Amino acid sequence: MDYVPHTPGEQKEMLKVIGVGDLEDLFADIPAKYRLGGLLNLPPPLSEQEIWEHMGRLAARNRLPGATLTGAGAYHHYIPAVVSHVVGRSEFYTAYTPYQAEISQGILQAIYEYQTMITRLTGTQVANASMYDGATAMAEAAVLSAKSLGRSRLLVGRSVHPEYRKVVGTYAWANGYACEEIPFGATGRLEQAALRELLDDKTAAVLVQSPNFFGVIEDIGPLADLAHSRGALLVAGFTDPTSLGILKAPGDSGADFVVGEGQSFGNPMNYGGPYLGILASTEAFMRKIPGRLVGATVDREGRRGYVLTLQTREQHIRREKATSNICSNEALCMLAAAVYLACLGKNLKRLAALNVWKANYLKEALSALPGWRPLFTGPVYNEFAMSCPDAGAANRRLEKAGFTGGYDLSKDYPELGGGILFCATEMLRREDMDKAVSLLK
């Protein structure tokens, strides 16, 4: 059956109303080199059996690493079997967004419990569920800060994930905001003196990460104090949320927004997604953050129930003022995170401590190799940056032995002179780390 949403006459009438001459004019902002000039070069149709055979051949080309030493925004953690069991139940796995919210008590309870656990971990009062990923969560908080304060300048730590900075920069460009970077020092932490100089009365928000992209733990309190001293807000991100099990909650250090990637909470690495953007804030932004907030109450008979309490949803209430449209988005990823956190409970602290121990074990062992040294002196969580004789050669040697090597920092940080970023989570055994070090001797 053909799908014809609008007739040529209707399209012409709509274009006339919005003052556009041609459909192509709607895509004028997209550079021509990124636009499809013709039909996709697809193979001929296949039968179901042929598709299974084709997909099987493609799957057989996958290579599973023996151990991974890469983090850089996506982390290899153990996922308890109960997570996939609950997420795979048909009432969750096939559910769409709860438009008729109160009859979807199961998903409402899941959202409520997720929001509760995230606010406790981040030291905030409000959390939505959720954004597309950590980068868009940070960008959303930045734009929300600027709009709330009526200011037009954003200061982003250069130690923030490079891809996050690009996304924030794109949001800033689209909204007409200026975006500048705060340098980092020898510790790997942001330079507070430089931040003090950069801050002015136009600054809407200071955006940082802790642990930052280098795995270094920032001191959030002083950064928040500096931002607040000029009337700006502090957006505190994180690289790996398992760090919240051991680090002081950013909200307790003065952060106005806490954002980051929630993939580590029960969501496997899967070729870049789907991911889970965590966005939490103080109560002051309860009516401004995107998405939905679920509350708990009792019915007339005193039975506990869950309700869609606030819904500043873009398509319903504040469409003209909306900064995003997150719709059904990551509800299943949110559910996985809720189950994961409920499963771990207080053991999240032990897991975080294990990540700290393993990262420091590997860091010390690598530091003993000739020509190898840590790039920064600050304390780290589960990642650390190293200077080495040849990052490319080191990775090739590791990959030949079945490891996924470290992240080459040269393309994002040329000033670091060929540094390499390693990660060690609880998934690395001691013998894995010892073998990796022996390969790099």
Side-chain angles (χ1 to χ4, degrees):
M1 182 176 70
D2 290 338
Y3 174 63
V4 183
H6 305 293
T7 66
E10 290 170 334
Q11 291 179 5
K12 188 175 181 181
E13 187 176 348
M14 287 190 288
L15 292 171
K16 183 179 179 182
V17 169
I18 62 176
V20 178
D22 187 85
L23 274 176
E24 287 298 308
D25 293 341
L26 297 176
F27 307 111
D29 290 333
I30 304 174
K33 62 181 179 180
Y34 298 123
R35 293 163 63 181
L36 188 64
L39 296 176
L40 291 170
N41 183 24
L42 296 175
L46 301 175
S47 69
E48 179 177 327
Q49 181 179 349
E50 290 170 330
I51 289 174
W52 273 108
E53 292 170 354
H54 176 69
M55 298 305 290
R57 287 193 294 272
L58 292 179
R61 294 164 59 184
N62 286 331
R63 179 181 61 84
L64 296 177
T68 180
L69 300 170
T70 306
Y75 300 93
H76 191 203
H77 289 293
Y78 180 76
I79 301 175
V82 67
V83 175
S84 59
H85 174 74
V86 174
V87 169
R89 289 179 63 94
S90 59
E91 61 266 41
F92 289 123
Y93 201 68
T94 62
Y96 193 52
T97 192
Y99 281 115
Q100 295 172 310
E102 275 60 51
I103 66 170
S104 305
Q105 283 293 298
I107 190 67
L108 286 182
Q109 180 181 354
I111 293 174
Y112 176 81
E113 293 185 359
Y114 166 83
Q115 292 175 341
T116 301
M117 289 186 279
I118 293 299
T119 53
R120 288 179 178 174
L121 281 173
T122 56
T124 57
Q125 290 84 53
V126 183
N128 75 1
S130 59
M131 307 301 294
Y132 287 119
D133 55 22
T136 53
M138 176 170 279
E140 189 73 33
V143 172
L144 213 162
S145 300
K147 290 192 173 183
S148 297
L149 298 180
R151 297 183 175 187
S152 59
R153 192 160 173 257
L154 303 170
L155 299 181
V156 188
R158 185 158 171 74
S159 55
V160 169
H161 194 303
E163 293 171 0
Y164 287 31
R165 283 186 276 126
K166 289 180 182 175
V167 173
V168 170
T170 300
Y171 274 57
W173 164 80
N175 285 277
Y177 303 148
C179 197
E180 298 175 51
E181 292 188 350
I182 313 162
F184 55 80
T187 62
R189 289 175 162 175
L190 295 177
E191 292 185 345
Q192 294 183 26
L195 173 59
R196 191 177 291 107
E197 289 293 319
L198 286 166
L199 280 164
D200 62 15
D201 294 336
K202 294 181 180 178
T203 306
V206 175
L207 282 65
V208 303
Q209 263 186 325
S210 181
N212 62 30
F213 188 65
F214 309 123
V216 175
I217 300 166
E218 299 274 4
D219 193 355
I220 296 293
L223 299 173
D225 290 343
L226 278 172
H228 294 158
S229 69
R230 299 302 297 266
L233 302 173
L234 186 86
V235 178
F238 48 77
T239 49
D240 188 331
T242 59
S243 62
L244 296 171
I246 201 170
L247 299 180
K248 184 178 180 180
D252 293 340
S253 295
D256 301 281
F257 291 93
V258 182
V259 298
E261 176 51 57
Q263 171 264 319
S264 292
F265 286 162
N267 287 279
M269 295 186 292
N270 185 33
Y271 299 98
Y275 278 174
L276 171 72
I278 292 176
L279 191 153
S281 76
T282 64
E283 193 172 354
F285 301 98
M286 182 169 59
R287 293 181 178 276
K288 296 180 179 179
I289 63 174
R292 303 165 171 137
L293 302 180
V294 173
T297 185
V298 293
D299 64 13
R300 69 174 68 181
E301 298 174 358
R303 296 176 300 185
R304 189 175 180 83
Y306 301 90
V307 294
L308 204 54
T309 306
L310 281 175
Q311 187 179 204
T312 56
R313 188 169 175 225
E314 297 77 5
Q315 292 181 358
H316 288 338
I317 302 171
R318 294 163 54 85
R319 190 170 188 175
E320 292 80 12
K321 297 181 179 179
T323 56
S324 67
N325 176 9
I326 53 178
C327 290
S328 301
N329 76 313
E330 313 295 286
L332 209 61
C333 298
M334 174 279 301
L335 177 64
V339 177
Y340 178 87
L341 288 171
C343 179
L344 258 67
K346 293 181 180 178
N347 285 319
L348 182 63
K349 183 176 183 179
R350 296 176 62 187
L351 174 73
L354 192 56
N355 276 244
V356 171
W357 184 89
K358 295 212 172 190
N360 280 286
Y361 177 84
L362 182 59
K363 180 182 174 185
E364 289 180 14
L366 289 172
S367 301
L369 298 179
W372 288 70
R373 64 174 178 82
L375 277 171
F376 303 112
T377 58
V380 298
Y381 179 61
N382 60 4
E383 283 175 287
F384 54 94
M386 299 291 296
S387 172
C388 66
D390 188 334
N395 273 340
R396 286 193 292 275
R397 200 175 303 171
L398 289 169
E399 289 168 9
K400 191 175 181 180
F403 285 85
T404 297
Y407 183 86
D408 189 340
L409 292 166
S410 58
K411 66 175 182 179
D412 298 305
Y413 296 95
E415 69 269 36
L416 294 180
I420 187 168
L421 184 68
F422 284 108
C423 178
T425 70
E426 79 280 3
M427 297 299 284
L428 273 186
R429 299 171 300 175
R430 184 167 180 164
E431 51 262 42
D432 293 328
M433 295 187 283
D434 291 343
K435 182 180 178 182
V437 173
S438 68
L439 288 167
L440 297 173
K441 280 183 179 177

